[in-house]
Amino acid sequence: MTASPVISATGLFTPPESISNEELVESYNAYAKLHNERHTDSIAAGEVEALEESSTGFIEKASGIKSRYVMAKEPVLDPEIMAPRWDDRGNDELSMMAEIGVKAARQALERAGRKPEDVDAVLCAASNMQRPYPAIAIEIQNALGIDGFAFDMNVACSSATFGIQTAADYIRSGNAKSVLVVSPEITSGHLNWRDRDSHFIFGDVATAVLVEAKDIAPQGHWDILGTKLKTVFSNNIRNNGGFLNRAHPDTRDAPDKLFVQEGRKVFKEVVPMVSAMILEEADKLGIDPHGLRRLWLHQANAGMNRLIAQRVLGHEASDDESPTVLDTYANTSSAGSIIAFHKHNDDLAAGDTALICSFGAGYSVGSVFIRKT
Ligand code: COA
């Protein structure tokens, strides 16, 4: 008999420092002013473009974002740096992604009443890894003292839901009984803080989801009713950063080596793709989408979530039906829907059916229908 996968618990690590829109815009505008002053002649000659100011009003209206957490506030806000900076760590020290991943994972284990030795596998599912190898997941596994296997996986903003389906499949096949899906997202390292169109988008965080076989799960777990993944190639969200950059010293620091997007196109193309997939999957699983108690959607843009929720639920969603964490966390890539789930699930009752859904670069969409027990 195949085992049924459930979500036993989640964990969250939030960095201690945050940046408000006001602080962010002040720093960007200082940078833009400096840039314009330093290039007065080439701007006048039409060789360099003058930079326009950013505005808090635009950011909040266009995205719903009011603030974001970061691992290194000062250098990000310094108009002469505009990027995170930290000291290199020795090979005998825990790397940064592993460190915050371990913190989120420990909380998930505690909440489930689980010891590390009960866990069989660790997936580090995130939109960027700080090094190619050894896998961050194996470092997390080692730091926690887990006997088993671990590997990294990257499906950009959908990494966590793709990780949940992968973990669920290990449970279904009997290859594992307890799997940690850890998503440390240090997005501040691949956001271009000098790009007016996107400098406000991202924040740092780490989440963990413990996926287990139902027969060992703690009380109050969530049955996984069905998972569905979809990818369709698109260049509209792209990051050309990577280990081969070194081959081209002239272009290795070019803006395309960080996050770039065609935000309007993403908005227009992803909303119908996500809504259609959720409705198709609900139909296959015999779930009435209008009866879904809550949607924990990917946290990229408040307007996108409003439209998707409306198409799925058949009416305009209240904050209770489709909670947001964009205001405080901004877009945290794959961790967004998991933060929303982590912070807004205690009040649901046994029998309530709900949905975790992520979407983003690739394009990629991952949906996880769950029911509270
Ligand atoms: N401050 C002030 N004005 C700004 C600005 C800023 N920081 N950034 C852009 N603008 C201006 C633009 O110059 C443009 O001006 P124009 O009309 O005079 O040309 C105007 O605001 C509209 O810009 P646009 O980029 O079309 O805004 P938008 O309404 O599409 O909102 C996003 C931008 C990025 C918030 C939005 O497109 C989005 O969230 N898309 C989905 C992104 C997504 O989910 N990505 C996945 C990432 S994982």
Side-chain angles (χ1 to χ4, degrees):
M1 207 181 76
T2 54
S4 300
V6 309
I7 293 180
S8 288
T10 54
L12 172 68
F13 165 78
T14 303
E17 291 185 318
S18 67
I19 298 178
S20 68
N21 282 353
E22 288 71 22
E23 291 171 302
L24 183 78
V25 165
E26 191 188 330
S27 140
Y28 179 88
N29 290 350
Y31 155 72
K33 195 163 168 244
L34 273 174
H35 168 95
N36 293 346
E37 281 166 8
R38 283 175 186 164
H39 297 91
T40 317
D41 293 344
S42 16
I43 290 170
E47 291 153 12
V48 170
E49 248 181 75
L51 296 179
E52 286 179 57
E53 296 208 326
S54 181
S55 94
T56 56
F58 169 82
I59 294 170
E60 196 179 330
K61 190 155 174 268
S63 68
I65 294 165
K66 297 180 190 170
S67 190
R68 71 284 297 139
Y69 292 95
V70 286
M71 296 297 288
K73 178 170 176 169
E74 212 181 298
V76 159
L77 290 182
D78 183 337
E80 299 285 4
I81 304 175
M82 308 284 278
R85 292 279 184 266
W86 35 70
D87 292 336
D88 265 352
R89 296 184 182 188
N91 288 356
D92 53 348
E93 292 174 278
L94 209 53
S95 62
M96 191 174 277
M97 279 186 74
E99 179 190 306
I100 67 172
V102 162
K103 286 182 179 164
R106 284 220 166 94
Q107 192 185 58
L109 293 176
E110 253 168 50
R111 286 177 155 221
R114 193 69 70 221
K115 293 198 185 72
E117 50 268 37
D118 304 326
V119 179
D120 304 312
V122 178
L123 312 186
C124 180
S127 56
N128 236 323
M129 300 299 159
Q130 78 180 74
R131 62 166 182 263
Y133 45 83
I136 306 292
I138 304 177
E139 197 182 355
I140 295 173
Q141 174 200 357
N142 181 58
L144 290 169
I146 290 170
D147 186 21
F149 67 95
F151 61 89
D152 292 347
M153 54 183 288
N154 172 354
V155 202
C157 288
S158 290
S159 300
T161 52
F162 276 57
I164 291 173
Q165 170 161 318
T166 306
D169 285 344
Y170 284 134
I171 310 290
R172 290 172 185 133
S173 66
N175 279 323
K177 289 208 118 188
S178 178
V179 183
L180 262 173
V181 181
V182 186
S183 301
E185 289 287 7
I186 307 186
T187 61
S188 58
H190 49 112
L191 172 59
N192 183 353
W193 298 89
R194 292 194 172 102
D195 175 35
R196 176 173 174 262
D197 286 349
S198 64
H199 75 115
F200 53 88
I201 288 182
F202 286 118
D204 299 337
V205 80
T207 55
V209 182
L210 187 64
V211 182
E212 299 195 302
K214 190 171 175 68
D215 63 340
I216 64 159
Q219 271 211 327
H221 60 261
W222 297 79
D223 285 332
I224 295 179
L225 307 176
T227 54
K228 178 80 180 171
L229 312 179
K230 188 178 169 75
T231 47
V232 178
F233 187 70
S234 166
N235 280 318
N236 289 334
I237 312 170
R238 190 162 172 131
N239 181 339
N240 286 331
F243 71 101
L244 291 180
N245 289 357
R246 243 163 280 193
H248 301 283
D250 295 347
T251 57
R252 70 181 166 211
D253 294 325
D256 76 313
K257 303 302 184 294
L258 295 166
F259 168 90
V260 281
Q261 74 165 352
E262 294 278 350
R264 277 276 155 106
K265 287 189 189 156
V266 173
F267 197 113
K268 261 178 68 181
E269 291 169 11
V270 169
V271 168
M273 190 176 152
V274 173
S275 334
M277 191 180 112
I278 295 172
L279 291 173
E280 261 170 47
E281 202 44 26
D283 186 51
K284 254 192 228 147
L285 295 169
I287 293 168
D288 172 13
H290 295 182
L292 286 169
R293 177 64 188 83
R294 190 162 289 164
L295 310 177
W296 297 285
L297 297 178
H298 174 50
Q299 302 286 311
N301 179 290
M304 267 175 118
N305 285 5
R306 242 189 324 274
L307 284 174
I308 292 168
Q310 174 145 20
R311 287 187 192 188
V312 171
L313 298 175
H315 61 262
E316 194 174 327
S318 63
D319 289 347
D320 181 67
E321 288 169 314
S322 174
T324 186
V325 299
L326 274 169
D327 50 347
T328 45
Y329 282 84
N331 182 343
T332 49
S333 197
S334 73
S337 56
I338 307 300
I339 307 173
F341 173 57
H342 177 88
K343 287 196 165 271
H344 300 281
N345 76 53
D346 281 350
D347 57 320
L348 265 60
D352 281 345
T353 304
L355 170 74
I356 299 172
C357 181
S358 69
F359 39 88
Y363 296 135
S364 57
V365 192
S367 68
V368 182
F369 284 91
I370 54 179
R371 181 169 293 146
K372 176 97 172 173
T373 59

